Amino acid sequence: MSFRNFINFEELSLVNEVGKVLTKGYSLEKTLSEFLKILYSFWEVEYSFIALSYRSSQTLRIVKAFGLTENEVKRGLFESGEGIVGKVFKYGIPIVLSDLDEKNYLNKTKLKDRLPREITFIAVPIKIGGEFLGVLAIFKKFKTQENLGQGLKILQTLGTFLGIVYKLYQNMEEQEALWEEEKRELTSALEEKYKIEGVIGVSEAIKRVTLLVKKVAPTDLTVLLTGESGTGKSLIAKAIHFLSPRKEKNFITINATAIPETLLEAELFGYEKGAFTGAYNSKKGKFELANGGTIFLDEIGDLPLSLQPKLLKVLQDKEIERLGGEESVKVDVRFITATNKNLKEMIAQGKFREDLYYRINVFPIYLPPLRERKEDIPVLIDHFLNIFNRRYNKRVKITNSVVKILMEYPWPGNVREFENTLERLVILSEDEIRVDYLPSYFYSKKEEISSDTLFEKIELTEKEEIVKALERTGYNKSKAAKLLGYSLRQLDYRIKKFNIQIKKF
Ligand SMILES: Nc1ncnc2c1ncn2[C@@H]1O[C@H](COP(=O)(O)OP(=O)(O)O)[C@@H](O)[C@H]1O
Ligand SMILES: [Mg+2]
């Protein structure tokens, strides 16, 4: 084999660039278009196209082209066996045509009419194993016959690359379609009794919660919502109110952690003019404001001990007394409380009154963390993508590989963290959400690595090997090159590329 048979530097960069694009995780469409752009930028291919057969049909269609007009692309339909493209597809062999006036060249796209005369047409199969998937075709000027021979080889290799990639995408698409169907089935199987507007989920856990909410909403029972932060307690509290006969009246939320202890009592119970310094007017408290409606005491576990007996009294008597007031006022309120704390434990520690606990724990509803109901994640993705695409006027899509990572992540901040993450991803993304838009803590090291880091890894080990070889040979480059199976120039190129310091002795 003569030295000329080796691939030259220009072509090496071409293959290298193609490799990078193929592993970027773009959509098929974008991958193919980037691919053809590289042929142009790195190899001066001014006209090229990729024709594929969809699901082993006998017709090929141009799915991506470079340098062709829209109409030329539209005309790019080829039957198997028909013309050059059809033959390359049918027999899985490459065809080179230096004379486009040849009768076999059918000029279906009509591109020929505006091409220079001395251009060569090469069409190679896109295949994987014995399966022919399509055709990659280029029009390029070659300086010598030799260049042409090499070009053909490169192109055949690229055709095989494309075959692998196309097959991968097809498999992914099939999986996605299956998944979509499953999701549709799951969602449509959700009967009316399991549905609450704005509460998304298909898991048994969510169904159970929904069922309980529908049962308890029409009653006046006190509800205690428990679960980690971000699991939807506030959402469910509101849902209960709006499914109750009190829905036309106020829904008042008070968060025990959001208000300083000294003000909390006045906020809850209201006060009369002159009740304390600064009380220039009388003011209604939250209980009174909620009259006829629902009061939601969020973070009840953080209610100061000093206020707990007072709340207990309201729950028992349904009466309140404003601060500085003399008579008590009847209030008709429905109580919903929520906490992410373990109240039983707090009772044991003397931080929460047991009698109050029994008063609020009439109808408990537990919201499980998101990591325990991962089957909700795909429908939550749809839900939030819809919301944020509308909000930001985008049409961002998500790929399977990202869904997979979102499914595996434990979501310590539950749906709130999930919602915020999707919003961020939609804002960052143009057309599709990419793995590398996720914060790095999303994927642990052994799982999916983005292609960029994969490349870095390969280069790192390559660098390590070179350093090792240099050390072993006492930094003698020719010896190290021999050890590594590189030419001296190749080693030099890599030493520069990796910025390896050559120690002098
Ligand atoms: N099942 C769900 N479907 C849709 N959105 C949800 C769901 N659960 C929670 N969310 C959303 O997640 C965020 C956090 O929920 P929230 O009710 O505030 O949690 P918590 O009160 O338990 O901390 C809110 O924006 C809420 O609308
Ligand atoms: Mg909340």
Side-chain angles (χ1 to χ4, degrees):
M1 206 197 279
S2 82
F3 196 70
R4 281 204 209 92
N5 283 339
F6 281 103
I7 187 168
N8 68 28
F9 187 74
E10 185 194 18
E11 286 151 358
L12 192 64
S13 339
L14 169 73
V15 174
N16 190 22
E17 283 310 305
V18 166
K20 277 193 209 162
V21 158
L22 297 188
T23 53
K24 268 269 191 267
Y26 293 144
S27 63
L28 180 62
E29 168 115 16
K30 174 126 192 219
T31 304
L32 298 183
S33 110
E34 289 298 309
F35 174 85
L36 296 181
K37 269 189 223 158
I38 290 171
L39 293 189
Y40 169 74
S41 319
F42 282 75
W43 210 32
E44 288 160 17
V45 175
E46 287 178 33
Y47 307 92
S48 59
F49 65 79
I50 291 169
L52 295 171
S53 84
Y54 192 64
R55 301 209 182 285
S56 13
S57 90
Q58 290 303 298
T59 309
L60 296 181
R61 165 192 300 278
I62 295 186
V63 293
K64 210 74 236 177
F66 187 93
L68 273 68
T69 65
E70 221 172 277
N71 280 332
E72 285 163 349
V73 170
K74 263 194 215 139
R75 288 190 286 262
L77 280 174
F78 313 90
E79 289 303 317
S80 173
E82 178 198 31
I84 304 290
V85 174
K87 288 198 175 64
V88 169
F89 175 66
K90 185 169 182 188
Y91 304 109
I93 41 127
I95 296 181
V96 179
L97 213 61
S98 299
D99 178 10
L100 294 187
D101 288 331
E102 232 241 61
K103 68 170 175 25
N104 272 318
Y105 186 76
L106 299 180
N107 192 22
K108 293 201 80 170
T109 59
K110 298 213 164 47
L111 169 66
K112 188 184 92 176
D113 313 346
R114 59 188 184 93
L115 289 181
R117 303 227 79 225
E118 61 285 18
I119 209 154
T120 304
F121 175 60
I122 308 182
V124 298
I126 294 172
K127 59 180 177 181
I128 181 163
E131 194 182 346
F132 308 143
L133 306 166
V135 172
L136 164 65
I138 66 162
F139 299 83
K140 178 178 157 68
K141 283 185 204 160
F142 288 95
K143 290 198 191 76
T144 66
Q145 209 50 33
E146 242 165 54
N147 287 346
L148 176 59
Q150 270 191 21
L152 176 61
K153 272 190 209 159
I154 303 265
L155 214 57
Q156 279 184 277
T157 310
L158 296 183
T160 308
F161 278 9
L162 287 182
I164 295 167
V165 168
Y166 185 43
K167 196 75 195 170
L168 272 174
Y169 276 97
Q170 273 188 341
N171 289 347
M172 246 161 64
E173 230 174 56
E174 268 163 34
Q175 221 184 12
E176 237 157 75
L178 264 178
W179 204 343
E180 277 298 320
E181 199 170 308
E182 218 168 88
K183 205 159 60 187
R184 253 199 313 278
E185 268 171 25
L186 273 172
T187 329
S188 62
L190 272 186
E191 294 161 47
E192 230 15 74
K193 65 176 172 184
Y194 294 126
K195 261 191 265 177
I196 298 177
E197 211 187 305
V199 179
I200 307 299
V202 292
S203 62
E204 283 307 313
I206 282 291
K207 278 192 205 165
R208 203 184 94 86
V209 167
T210 312
L211 212 58
L212 290 174
V213 166
K214 293 217 159 174
K215 285 244 153 73
V216 79
T219 74
D220 261 345
L221 289 182
T222 298
V223 176
L224 171 62
L225 299 162
T226 58
E228 289 176 14
S229 185
T231 48
K233 298 185 294 297
S234 299
L235 178 71
I236 293 296
K238 236 176 259 158
I240 293 173
H241 171 73
F242 285 106
L243 288 170
S244 81
R246 296 170 177 268
K247 64 171 185 270
E248 308 289 344
K249 297 289 172 58
N250 282 341
F251 174 80
I252 302 282
T253 298
I254 187 145
N255 187 318
T257 51
I259 302 168
E261 183 173 345
T262 46
L263 295 182
L264 191 56
E265 187 174 0
E267 274 292 313
L268 282 172
F269 293 91
Y271 48 83
E272 296 294 352
K273 192 172 164 181
F276 48 85
T277 353
Y280 301 117
N281 290 305
S282 60
K283 195 186 166 195
K284 277 187 182 176
K286 297 275 186 184
F287 289 122
E288 271 180 272
L289 288 174
N291 205 0
T294 307
I295 191 154
F296 174 43
L297 300 165
D298 205 357
E299 313 288 0
I300 187 92
D302 293 298
L303 189 70
L305 263 176
S306 61
L307 282 182
Q308 291 182 15
K310 292 179 182 159
L311 175 61
L312 179 65
K313 197 161 167 296
V314 182
L315 278 159
Q316 272 165 350
D317 307 340
K318 302 269 160 122
E319 291 190 342
I320 57 126
E321 224 167 88
R322 288 189 188 172
L323 297 184
E326 261 147 42
E327 14 180 310
S328 47
V329 191
K330 274 268 170 216
V331 284
D332 165 31
V333 286
R334 202 271 175 84
F335 284 88
I336 303 177
T337 63
T339 184
N340 57 10
K341 300 238 158 90
N342 184 337
L343 293 180
K344 283 242 169 86
E345 229 166 65
M346 291 186 72
I347 293 168
Q349 294 164 348
K351 290 182 186 149
F352 203 83
R353 288 180 64 119
E354 194 166 11
D355 46 7
L356 179 59
Y357 174 72
Y358 288 116
R359 267 290 163 181
I360 59 173
N361 191 26
V362 180
F363 196 97
I365 300 179
Y366 169 64
L367 288 150
L370 188 54
R371 63 183 167 280
E372 287 173 17
R373 46 184 171 102
K374 300 209 156 169
E375 57 281 35
D376 289 340
I377 287 180
V379 280
L380 282 169
I381 291 175
D382 274 9
H383 174 67
F384 288 125
L385 273 189
N386 269 334
I387 288 180
F388 296 127
N389 271 332
R390 221 172 300 141
R391 183 173 306 168
Y392 297 106
N393 208 1
K394 287 192 165 183
R395 292 168 77 184
V396 172
K397 293 198 192 90
I398 194 162
T399 55
N400 248 356
S401 51
V402 178
V403 173
K404 214 173 134 219
I405 293 172
L406 296 184
M407 296 271 285
E408 275 161 18
Y409 181 67
W411 299 108
N414 295 296
V415 187
R416 180 173 297 112
E417 184 187 9
F418 188 89
E419 184 176 355
N420 294 339
T421 304
L422 268 125
E423 180 166 16
R424 191 187 122 89
L425 289 174
V426 168
I427 290 171
L428 286 175
S429 305
E430 287 312 318
D431 40 8
E432 82 191 13
I433 294 174
R434 280 180 18 202
V435 175
D436 50 359
Y437 290 151
L438 287 166
S440 58
Y441 56 81
F442 264 81
Y443 28 95
S444 61
K445 282 195 195 67
K446 52 181 195 329
E447 281 155 18
E448 207 123 345
I449 323 168
S450 85
S451 48
D452 284 339
T453 49
L454 197 66
F455 268 99
E456 275 163 25
K457 277 211 147 156
I458 292 167
E459 301 206 328
L460 190 68
T461 47
E462 213 179 332
K463 177 178 177 179
E464 284 164 354
E465 283 204 333
I466 294 167
V467 171
K468 237 187 267 166
L470 284 166
E471 277 172 358
R472 268 173 57 190
T473 56
Y475 284 82
N476 180 320
K477 283 200 286 189
S478 349
K479 279 188 191 164
K482 226 177 238 159
L483 207 62
L484 290 162
Y486 294 153
S487 72
L488 191 55
R489 269 177 54 191
Q490 284 171 335
L491 179 63
D492 265 330
Y493 168 75
R494 286 176 170 84
I495 286 174
K496 270 213 200 91
K497 175 172 160 197
F498 297 133
N499 207 0
I500 296 171
Q501 301 299 316
I502 296 294
K503 292 184 194 147
K504 298 247 160 62
F505 294 96

